[in-house]
């Protein structure tokens, strides 16, 4: 879309907010800086300043904002809860449509379904569902919004037993198009828009105002086991996990953490923390799930730290939140079937890891097959790294380290997950998160539904940097 700032009069900016139930601030408003600072989930300031920030309070606000943007040639970006690591909702042009105040939740216990608006967080949905004995595979951080999480795919709690990627539990969506039209999309009505919403992520070309979700029975018993292993044993550990083929109701995650004892330089001073979470009907079932893996991998490889610890969604959220501790961060990931090769690459990069807080993580996904959707990446291991540090002065060294690690990991990747892809570094390579077919279909749908580029594309210009 052509930029037409010059055609916007001060009157245009003054009149537009009056048509809203919510509020709007232009770059020139004294409150803009405060609004801008609050947009990112942990308060990190990005040096990207949209012309206008709109805090929508109704669907009508979404329609008005899109109409205003289209008329004036202002490209639109959308914010759910602002948890994008790259702050990809923040662009230097156009209108930012903030949906975080739209937080309605409706639950139909009989149908085991829920309807949620885009600002609803993981914690809010889980608490509401638990009152009806239900659950949903939300993200692992309690405050992470459902909106961007679901639209990018969603690697959720107990994801392997609950539909694979969480987006496959989205039965329908309500949305507003680039023309300002309010539509419903499900398997029968506008099916190509539901197809795109299941994984299209930051490259979408419409605004989702409501998700219709299929939910699951709340597990009767959740337990967590934690083990430690030597970093040098990680390849063998991965091989054992692959052989064991863990039950889908057992979530298996390996974090590469610093050793408190620093006496083993040949181990790169790292060790592996294996965490398994069982989602079961009863304590006996949970013990059986845990034992099915631990008995096959133990044999001197792992040392139990905590076994059969009672857990719940809140504990999982606290564990997730505790992983991200710094003020500044970047993340990148691959999906791969070549876990051992990926670990060899990581081992070569660990000695130069600039920040001790940085956390590499491996999650077992196993073999998976999906119904046709934009989400189309595969790989039995999800291998992400959360680079984190505190000082602006350390930005460049951390950025460079993560980039060189994932440039090399790309050689063993079968895909990547768009929501944890380093969009600040490589938004121009977002196609790597999709099969060739899905990517070209997404591009074709974008041209069809948003021919004039009302919505910002996934490509980001971060040349202005960020703070
Ligand atoms: C602490 C933390 C924990 C996380 N844990 C997990 C996890 O366990 N599993 C996982 O898979 N991911 C996880 N993530 C990543 C998360 O999935 C993404 O950051 C996701 O974008 C968050 O959703 P959001 O609504 O906050 O998105 P936002 O940051 O608000 O938006 C990101 C982009 O999504 C698009 N978007 C958002 N809402 C809409 C909408 N309603 N209509 C159209 N487009 C929209 C826009 O293009 C926007 O730029 C985590 C992130 C953080 C910071």
């Amino acid at each position: 879309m052509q930029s037409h700032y010059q055609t916007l009069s001060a009157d245009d900016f003054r009149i537009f907010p009056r048509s809203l139930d919510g509020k709007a601030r232009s770059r020139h408003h004294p409150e803009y800086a405060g609004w801008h600072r609050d947009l990112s989930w942990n308060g990190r300031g990005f040096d990207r300043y949209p012309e206008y920030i709109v805090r929508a309070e109704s669907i009508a606000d979404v329609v008005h904002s899109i109409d205003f943007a289209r008329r004036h040639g202002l490209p639109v970006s959308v914010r759910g809860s602002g948890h994008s690591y790259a702050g990809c909702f923040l662009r230097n042009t156009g209108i930012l449509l903030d949906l975080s105040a739209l937080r309605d939740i409706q639950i139909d216990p009989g149908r085991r379904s829920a309807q949620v608006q885009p600002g609803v967080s993981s914690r809010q949905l889980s608490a509401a569902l638990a009152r009806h004995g239900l659950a949903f595979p939300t993200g692992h951080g309690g405050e992470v919004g459902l909106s961007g999480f679901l639209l990018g795919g969603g690697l959720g709690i107990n994801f392997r037993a609950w539909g694979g990627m969480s987006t496959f539990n989205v039965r329908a969506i309500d949305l507003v198009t680039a023309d300002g039209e309010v539509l419903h999309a499900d398997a029968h009505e506008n099916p190509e828009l539901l197809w795109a919403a299941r994984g299209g992520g930051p490259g979408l070309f419409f605004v989702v105002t409501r998700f219709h979700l299929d939910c699951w029975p709340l597990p009767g018993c959740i337990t967590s086991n934690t083990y430690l292993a030597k970093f040098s044993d990680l390849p063998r550990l991965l091989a054992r996990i692959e052989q064991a083929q863990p039950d889908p109701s057992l979530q298996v995650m390996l974090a590469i953490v610093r050793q408190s004892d620093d006496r083993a330089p040949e181990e790169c001073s790292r060790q592996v923390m294996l965490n398994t979470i069982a989602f079961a009907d009863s304590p006996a079932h949970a013990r059986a799930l845990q034992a099915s893996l631990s008995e096959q991998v133990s044999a001197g490889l792992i040392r139990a730290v905590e076994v059969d610890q009672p857990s719940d969604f809140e504990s999982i959220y606290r564990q997730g939140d505790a992983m991200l501790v710094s003020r500044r961060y970047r993340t990148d990931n691959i999906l791969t079937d070549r876990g051992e090769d990926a670990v060899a690459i990581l081992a070569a990069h660990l000695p130069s890891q600039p920040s001790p807080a940085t956390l590499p993580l491996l999650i077992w996904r196993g073999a998976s097959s999906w119904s046709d959707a934009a989400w189309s990446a595969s790989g039995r291991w999800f291998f992400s790294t959360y680079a984190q540090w505190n000082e602006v002065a350390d930005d460049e060294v951390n950025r460079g380290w993560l980039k060189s690690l994932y440039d090399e990991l790309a050689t063993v990747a079968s895909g990547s997950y768009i929501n944890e892809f380093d969009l600040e570094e490589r938004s121009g390579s977002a196609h790597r998160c999709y099969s060739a077919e899905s990517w070209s279909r997404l591009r074709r749908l974008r041209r069809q539904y948003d021919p004039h580029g009302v919505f910002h594309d996934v490509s980001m210009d971060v040349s202005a940097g960020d703070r």
Side-chain angles (χ1 to χ4, degrees), residues 39 41 77-85 87-91 99 118 120 138-157 165 201-211 320-321 324 329 382 386 417 419-420 456:
L39 289 169
W41 64 285
S77 62
V78 186
R79 175 183 187 267
S81 78
H83 277 70
S84 158
Y85 290 100
C88 60
F89 46 86
L90 276 167
R91 306 300 176 94
L99 307 176
V120 172
T138 70
H140 293 75
E143 295 309 307
V144 176
L146 266 298
S147 181
F149 167 80
L150 288 170
L151 295 174
L155 199 61
I157 292 174
M165 298 303 286
L204 280 177
F205 38 85
F206 49 83
V207 180
V208 178
T209 52
R210 189 172 287 270
F211 295 86
D321 293 342
L324 295 170
Y329 48 87
F382 170 66
Y386 304 89
Y417 172 30
N419 274 356
E420 307 216 344
H456 272 291

Side-chain angles (χ1 to χ4, degrees), residues 2-80:
Q2 291 279 310
S3 178
H4 296 298
Y5 292 135
Q6 60 279 14
T7 69
L8 270 173
S9 69
D11 273 355
D12 287 326
F13 275 144
R14 262 200 301 276
I15 293 164
F16 164 56
R18 290 189 208 141
S19 66
L20 299 173
D21 296 318
K23 289 182 177 167
R25 294 288 179 261
S26 82
R27 270 186 208 154
H28 313 290
H29 194 283
E31 286 175 10
Y32 180 94
W35 280 35
H36 182 270
R37 204 172 31 248
D38 291 343
L39 289 169
S40 175
W41 64 285
N42 77 344
R44 171 177 160 184
F46 290 95
D47 267 352
R48 282 172 253 137
Y49 296 93
E51 187 74 2
Y52 234 91
I53 302 173
V54 175
R55 287 184 179 166
E57 286 186 10
S58 63
I59 311 305
D61 283 357
V62 176
V63 174
H64 282 316
S65 303
I66 291 175
D67 284 345
F68 178 80
R70 197 181 51 251
R71 278 204 313 278
H72 294 288
L74 295 166
V76 176
S77 62
V78 186
R79 175 183 187 267

Side-chain angles (χ1 to χ4, degrees), residues 310-382:
S311 184
D312 54 20
F313 273 61
E314 188 50 41
S315 311
I316 295 169
Y317 293 146
R318 278 202 301 273
Q319 183 186 352
D321 293 342
M323 282 170 31
L324 295 170
V325 294
S326 304
R327 285 200 299 273
R328 306 190 65 75
Y329 48 87
R330 271 192 186 225
T331 180
D332 212 341
N333 76 89
I334 56 162
L335 297 163
T336 182
D337 290 330
R338 296 171 56 186
E340 292 170 51
D341 293 336
V343 166
I345 292 170
L346 174 68
H349 286 257
L350 280 179
S352 59
Q353 179 185 306
S355 168
T358 289
L359 186 69
L361 195 72
L362 283 137
I363 295 181
W364 171 249
R365 301 171 74 244
S368 41
S369 61
W370 320 103
S371 52
D372 186 25
W375 171 271
S376 47
S378 63
R380 286 177 298 164
W381 291 101
F382 170 66

